[in-house]
Amino acid sequence: MSRVCFSMSRVIPAAPAQVFHLLDDYQHGHWRVLPPAFSDYRVLEGGFGEGTRIAFSLTAGGRTSSTEGIVTVPDPGRVLKEAYPREQMVTTFTVDRADDGTLLTIATSMPARSPLTARLEERVLRRLLEPIYTEEFALIEKWAPFWYEGT
């Protein structure tokens, strides 16, 4: 099955551990960096790292949809994944050291409706997610320098 993907990266002026733990702390941190497009955010289980279950609504392109996600941490301190089984969608946060702080990459992938429409779907995904990611990076930049560096 063909997938469509969109990713953005930005250097965050904070230590990689601060950025990772802000994102990994679903109970106290992650919700702080969600732009207004996200609503009704709740932690269903866990709250920190692997095994956390979350739910929220997302408004994009004038449509609001609700979803549930499951968090995995395939590379502790570096990679955090949110999988949304119903949509077969995955959002990955990758934290790497950079000269001026942390290079953070956010990437989302989902199934294409067909290989013939994949390129168009990728452009639509970019148009929907780019403003949301831009706002999210700004909020991460605001909060991460003040976040704790570990559990």
Side-chain angles (χ1 to χ4, degrees):
M1 177 188 298
S2 180
R3 294 188 69 81
V4 294
C5 303
F6 175 68
S7 69
M8 280 179 69
S9 298
R10 179 177 284 175
V11 174
I12 306 295
Q18 288 174 301
V19 174
F20 186 83
H21 287 292
L22 170 64
L23 296 171
D24 198 35
D25 184 349
Y26 285 84
Q27 192 67 45
H28 303 289
H30 200 103
W31 64 267
R32 296 175 192 273
V33 302
L34 295 177
F38 291 87
S39 60
D40 196 27
Y41 173 86
R42 15 189 228 294
V43 174
L44 303 174
E45 187 176 309
F48 192 87
E50 184 86 26
T52 296
R53 289 182 46 245
I54 55 173
F56 58 86
S57 295
L58 176 65
T59 302
R63 300 178 74 199
T64 301
S65 60
S66 298
T67 192
E68 290 187 13
I70 302 165
V71 176
T72 58
V73 185
D75 188 353
R78 183 169 177 271
V79 178
L80 181 72
K81 285 189 177 188
E82 295 175 0
Y84 311 101
R86 186 175 63 224
E87 296 84 2
Q88 298 178 17
M89 186 168 48
V90 176
T91 296
T92 304
F93 300 86
T94 304
V95 173
D96 289 306
R97 184 168 304 285
D99 290 339
D100 297 334
T102 300
L103 177 64
L104 173 62
T105 301
I106 305 174
T108 296
S109 71
M110 58 191 291
R113 290 192 171 105
S114 88
L116 298 174
T117 62
R119 289 180 59 103
L120 174 62
E121 289 179 69
E122 212 159 79
R123 286 196 301 266
V124 170
L125 187 64
R126 176 186 198 86
R127 183 169 289 154
L128 293 174
L129 292 181
E130 191 169 27
I132 293 171
Y133 283 6
T134 299
E135 287 184 76
E136 192 162 357
F137 280 123
L139 289 166
I140 292 166
E141 194 169 307
K142 173 184 173 183
W143 283 100
F146 305 103
W147 212 251
Y148 58 95
E149 294 193 30
T151 57

